[in-house]
Amino acid sequence: MGTPEFPNLGKHCSFEDCKQIDFLPFTCDCCHQVFCLEHRSYNRHSCPKTDRRDVTVVICPLCAKGVRLIPDQDPNITWEIHVNTECDPSNYDKVTKKKKCPVPGCRELLTFSNTIKCRDCLVDHCLKHRFGPDHKCSGPKKPEPAGFPFVGLLSRGRKEEKGPKKALPPTTSSSSWTTSLFNAASSVKASAEASMTKLSNEINHAWKTKSSSSSSNGSANGQVEQCPQCGAKFSSVSSLIDHVEKVHEKGGNRPGAKKVVIDACPKCSRGFVDPVALVEHIEREHGGTSRA
């Protein structure tokens, strides 16, 4: 079997009366044996497991559903599993009872080739009553009014046109309808611009108030600055520093004289002699940040 170069090439047919070597053999998907071209079908080699490919379906009389019988399983067990899990008696009426044309007095059954859906009322009818006048079609549903502010004005303008302006030509009615639409759009645009202007004014006022309060905060806190040596009070830190440099630092060159250093808060310009007190003030009053 095979050739010196390909010793495993080709297989013998499994049929007893054949045993012919085939270089392109076929494998049966039921019995998984190898056959030649002539005996590859189920009937030609009398396959004993062809029932595995059989599909038998039984219609359930309770729910009108198809139940497939498994070849290696008892049909009673298959039926019992279906009844306990999938069987739904309410489906029987849906399958057996076919729809009829809803027109009074019409007994035509609605089948696949005998059903037409009306484009206006979206109801299925037979071919005889497919047109609107034949089944007294109610017409398409009116769309609900959208959430635009000038929809009411448009409907009111149309009612007025139908009332006192019946004798006017159609060009006049259309022009009045266009005028009412333009007026409604103009009013909406004007109200939107007014609200935006009011909002921008409020934002500018808030920014000005915040900047003025932050600038006045430093001057209000600077009124309580006091010299640590002589007890003199000053309105700002710069005045206190000038006082210390002119009055108290003159004796700094003398031996034993102590030079006073004033540290100012970068947020409120309040002066401190002790750096620890300055740090505690920043953490307590300004949330722990020293950025101006």
Side-chain angles (χ1 to χ4, degrees):
M1 184 177 63
T3 61
E5 293 80 6
F6 301 99
N8 297 325
L9 182 62
K11 292 183 180 180
H12 289 281
C13 180
S14 300
F15 193 65
E16 294 295 335
D17 297 337
C18 180
K19 296 297 182 179
Q20 180 183 358
I21 185 173
D22 195 336
F23 294 100
L24 294 175
F26 296 87
T27 302
C28 180
D29 55 355
C30 292
C31 60
H32 303 289
Q33 293 184 2
V34 179
F35 297 95
C36 62
L37 177 63
E38 184 181 356
H39 301 96
R40 69 183 188 278
S41 61
Y42 300 144
N43 296 330
R44 295 293 294 175
H45 67 265
S46 302
C47 185
K49 297 182 180 181
T50 53
D51 56 346
R52 295 181 179 273
R53 296 296 175 183
D54 293 341
V55 178
T56 304
V57 179
V58 179
I59 304 300
C60 177
L62 301 178
C63 62
K65 290 183 179 180
V67 181
R68 182 179 181 274
L69 301 180
I70 302 175
D72 295 338
Q73 191 176 21
D74 188 3
N76 295 326
I77 298 177
T78 306
W79 175 259
E80 185 177 358
I81 293 174
H82 165 72
V83 172
N84 295 331
T85 57
E86 301 177 356
C87 189
D88 185 10
S90 62
N91 188 54
Y92 184 82
D93 295 338
K94 298 179 182 179
V95 176
T96 56
K97 293 184 179 180
K98 296 183 179 180
K99 296 174 61 178
K100 293 183 179 181
C101 182
V103 176
C106 183
R107 298 182 179 180
E108 190 73 21
L109 296 177
L110 298 180
T111 59
F112 177 76
S113 60
N114 191 28
T115 303
I116 293 181
K117 180 177 290 187
C118 180
R119 294 181 298 178
D120 296 333
C121 61
L122 303 179
V123 179
D124 294 336
H125 296 85
C126 63
L127 294 176
K128 183 179 179 181
H129 301 97
R130 63 185 182 274
F131 297 110
D134 297 334
H135 62 265
K136 297 180 181 180
C137 183
S138 58
K141 296 182 179 179
K142 296 182 179 180
E144 297 181 358
F148 297 101
F150 49 84
V151 173
L153 297 176
L154 297 180
S155 59
R156 191 185 348 178
R158 290 178 180 177
K159 291 181 181 178
E160 292 177 356
E161 292 171 7
K162 294 180 181 179
K165 295 183 179 180
K166 289 184 178 179
L168 296 177
T171 56
T172 308
S173 62
S174 61
S175 62
S176 62
W177 184 84
T178 307
T179 304
S180 62
L181 175 62
F182 180 75
N183 294 335
S186 300
S187 62
V188 173
K189 181 179 179 181
S191 61
E193 291 178 352
S195 60
M196 291 298 296
T197 305
K198 183 179 179 181
L199 180 61
S200 62
N201 293 335
E202 292 179 356
I203 293 174
N204 293 333
H205 180 68
W207 276 107
K208 291 180 180 179
T209 305
K210 184 177 180 181
S211 60
S212 60
S213 62
S214 62
S215 61
S216 62
N217 188 17
S219 61
N221 294 333
Q223 293 179 2
V224 295
E225 299 299 333
Q226 185 176 2
C227 180
Q229 292 194 7
C230 61
K233 296 183 179 180
F234 300 90
S235 60
S236 63
V237 179
S238 60
S239 302
L240 174 61
I241 294 174
D242 294 340
H243 165 72
V244 173
E245 291 178 351
K246 294 178 181 179
V247 178
H248 300 290
E249 287 189 357
K250 289 183 179 179
N253 296 328
R254 296 179 297 176
K258 186 177 181 181
K259 187 176 181 180
V260 179
V261 180
I262 304 299
D263 295 327
C265 177
K267 290 286 289 186
C268 60
S269 301
R270 185 176 179 181
F272 294 90
V273 180
D274 188 7
V276 178
L278 173 60
V279 174
E280 293 178 353
H281 163 75
I282 292 175
E283 293 179 351
R284 181 177 61 256
E285 301 294 338
H286 306 295
T289 174
S290 62
R291 294 182 179 180

